[in-house]
Amino acid sequence: MRNLNKFLIIPYLLWMIIFIIIPVLLLVYFSFIDINGHFSFTNYRQVFSMKYLKMMWDSIFYATLITIITLIISYPAAYFIRSSKFQNIWLLILIIPTWINLLLKTYAFIGILSHEGMINKMLGIMHIDPLNLLFTSGAFLLVASYIYIPFMILPIFNSMKSIPNNLLQASSDLGANTFTTFRKIILPLTKEGIMTGVQVTFIPALSLFMITRLIAGNKVINIGTSIEEQFLVIQNYGMGSTIAIFLIVFMAFILIITKSKETNGRG
């Protein structure tokens, strides 16, 4: 049995080495190569300049806003699904949009928010001047929040679903009102689901680039946009690799902080 287990882990180790370890090592190597192909620390000096520090701050700012918006919408929605008799139907409705390609969903929003889109056509029927909805930071937040809402709802819903109904009934029998039950029972028991939802929303939101290009235009420049620009436009692979390394380090930092909080909470 032990020999079989050792054999079964080989595909996973090969996957880790080929698609994770080797690419990260290549990023580290290229981060020390300047645009002329020479070994240099120039990329690391540039990444600490005000230009890139502001870009990183903007990335954190927008990722935080996206996470807050999705949490505000997702928590009541998860509670509604948990209390509903048609949980499976609501979950199916929630999951189906995640099967659609991200690019298709983005182009659908372009059709909705553009100058000739559905919203402005409805405003035209009401004799209201069209609005400039596309290529704004608000449009970027709207589309990004819509995309990540399912990933926030599901872990919160799973945490809520594991709460025994008799625990909530006991709280009511002991005279606790709805707000007290939420504050003393539901919220503490769903903290782990909230933290998981924050992880799977905040971390990917740091590196969005396709949505920033198609929906926000040049109004939002984040880490993902900068990496894409360095690799595909400027073709400065060294600088792109350096920014990518800092993104990986920051993501790992967020995971460590979240992990330590969960561990302390269980203790």
Side-chain angles (χ1 to χ4, degrees):
M1 180 61 71
R2 290 182 179 178
N3 292 332
L4 179 61
N5 291 337
K6 291 180 180 179
F7 177 77
L8 292 175
I9 202 174
I10 291 176
Y12 174 73
L13 291 176
L14 289 175
W15 180 275
M16 290 282 291
I17 292 170
I18 296 173
F19 295 105
I20 297 179
I21 296 176
I22 292 177
V24 171
L25 292 176
L26 287 173
L27 287 177
V28 174
Y29 169 75
F30 281 110
S31 68
F32 291 101
I33 305 299
D34 62 19
I35 195 168
N36 298 315
H38 302 136
F39 180 86
S40 173
F41 291 96
T42 303
N43 298 323
Y44 286 93
R45 286 195 293 267
Q46 288 183 359
V47 84
F48 285 106
S49 65
M50 287 304 301
K51 172 186 175 182
Y52 287 102
L53 289 176
K54 183 181 183 302
M55 178 265 295
M56 292 178 184
W57 167 253
D58 289 342
S59 300
I60 296 171
F61 174 73
Y62 280 106
T64 302
L65 282 181
I66 292 168
T67 304
I68 291 173
I69 292 170
T70 54
L71 180 59
I72 291 173
I73 296 173
S74 299
Y75 202 95
Y79 185 79
F80 168 78
I81 295 173
R82 182 201 179 278
S83 305
S84 175
K85 296 179 180 179
F86 308 101
Q87 288 184 7
N88 293 334
I89 296 176
W90 286 113
L91 288 174
L92 183 64
I93 293 173
L94 176 69
I95 292 172
I96 284 177
T98 64
W99 299 346
I100 301 174
N101 183 271
L102 178 61
L103 185 61
L104 293 178
K105 289 189 284 189
T106 304
Y107 275 111
F109 271 100
I110 292 176
I112 294 172
L113 301 173
S114 65
H115 194 270
E116 301 296 331
M118 185 174 63
I119 293 178
N120 279 321
K121 285 183 178 179
M122 294 176 63
L123 293 176
I125 294 174
M126 296 183 288
H127 304 288
I128 300 175
D129 293 336
L131 302 175
N132 294 321
L133 301 174
L134 199 59
F135 304 135
T136 62
S137 56
F140 168 71
L141 291 173
L142 171 67
V143 177
S145 299
Y146 163 78
I147 289 171
Y148 286 115
I149 278 176
F151 303 101
M152 179 70 79
I153 289 180
L154 289 175
I156 296 175
F157 167 76
N158 288 332
S159 295
M160 288 184 176
K161 190 176 180 181
S162 63
I163 300 176
N165 288 324
N166 56 8
L167 188 62
L168 302 179
Q169 293 171 358
S171 174
S172 178
D173 293 340
L174 291 172
N177 56 30
T178 303
F179 178 74
T180 302
T181 301
F182 171 78
R183 184 170 59 89
K184 294 286 188 178
I185 297 176
I186 297 177
L187 186 59
L189 293 178
T190 55
K191 278 186 178 179
E192 186 172 343
I194 293 173
M195 296 307 296
T196 302
V198 168
Q199 283 183 0
V200 298
T201 301
F202 180 81
I203 293 177
L206 284 170
S207 56
L208 286 171
F209 68 91
M210 183 173 63
I211 298 175
T212 57
R213 292 293 191 192
L214 297 177
I215 299 295
N218 293 321
K219 302 293 184 181
V220 177
I221 303 296
N222 63 3
I223 297 176
T225 309
S226 180
I227 294 173
E228 180 210 19
E229 185 179 69
Q230 293 293 336
F231 275 103
L232 300 182
V233 181
I234 303 175
Q235 294 187 345
N236 186 352
Y237 303 122
M239 193 62 204
S241 299
T242 306
I243 300 171
I245 288 173
F246 273 84
L247 176 61
I248 293 171
V249 171
F250 186 74
M251 288 179 174
F253 174 75
I254 296 298
L255 288 173
I256 292 171
I257 294 297
T258 307
K259 179 68 175 178
S260 63
K261 287 182 178 179
E262 289 178 1
T263 305
N264 294 336
R266 292 192 186 106

